[in-house]
């Protein structure tokens, strides 16, 4: 990865309100009645978990997790952007969709929210993955980044001394 700061691409919106994918293909971002097989559905439960786009998204996330783990903090966003770009570059372009509770229609959550969601997915399971890769769990200690776990609490220290 490059050392200079990463700047995500600015999405292009057409005159009709459609957004362009990284390949220049317009796609609808509001009032969506039927998600495609490449769309990522936000939410919980079997409906979203088993959607074809979500299954593909999770497999892409799993492929990027080891690289994300090894990258320095200032390089992690680049991986989130790459995953979002892969989804947006599919045919038809993948969208990150959330259902409007009032209308029942779907809308695209936008680039920033898609990158944030992708970063969250890339972080899931990182302590275990880093241990498996022999990198430690983070923060230069092996407690998963939990500073409180590094030293016993004062009560525990007293009990240990009394024993």
């Amino acid at each position: 990865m490059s050392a200079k700061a990463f700047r995500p691409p600015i999405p292009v919106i057409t005159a009709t309100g459609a957004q362009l994918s990284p390949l220049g293909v317009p796609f609808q971002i509001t009032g969506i009645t039927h998600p495609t097989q490449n769309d990522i559905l936000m939410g919980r439960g079997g409906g979203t978990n088993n959607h074809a786009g979500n299954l593909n998204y999770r497999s892409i996330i799993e492929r990027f997790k080891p690289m994300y783990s090894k990258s320095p903090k200032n390089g992690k966003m680049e991986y989130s952007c790459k995953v979002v770009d892969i989804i947006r570059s599919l045919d038809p372009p993948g969208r990150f969709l959330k259902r409007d509770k009032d209308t029942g229609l779907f809308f695209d959550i936008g680039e920033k929210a898609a990158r944030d969601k992708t970063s969250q997915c890339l972080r899931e399971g990182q302590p275990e993955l880093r241990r498996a890769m022999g990198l430690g769990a983070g923060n230069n200690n092996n407690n998963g980044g939990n500073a409180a776990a590094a030293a016993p609490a004062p009560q525990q220290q007293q009990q240990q001394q009394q024993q």
Side-chain angles (χ1 to χ4, degrees), residues 108-129:
D108 191 289
I109 63 174
E111 291 302 302
K112 182 177 181 338
R115 286 191 313 268
D116 290 347
K117 179 65 177 172
T118 300
S119 293
Q120 175 189 353
C121 290
L122 286 166
R123 285 191 303 270
E124 286 176 0
Q126 283 299 305
E128 295 85 4
L129 179 62

Side-chain angles (χ1 to χ4, degrees), residues 84-102:
V84 172
D85 283 348
I86 288 169
I87 296 298
R88 299 272 195 219
S89 298
L90 297 172
D91 184 20
R95 300 167 292 189
F96 291 78
L97 301 179
K98 186 172 184 178
R99 188 185 297 265
D100 183 304
K101 292 176 187 172
D102 296 330

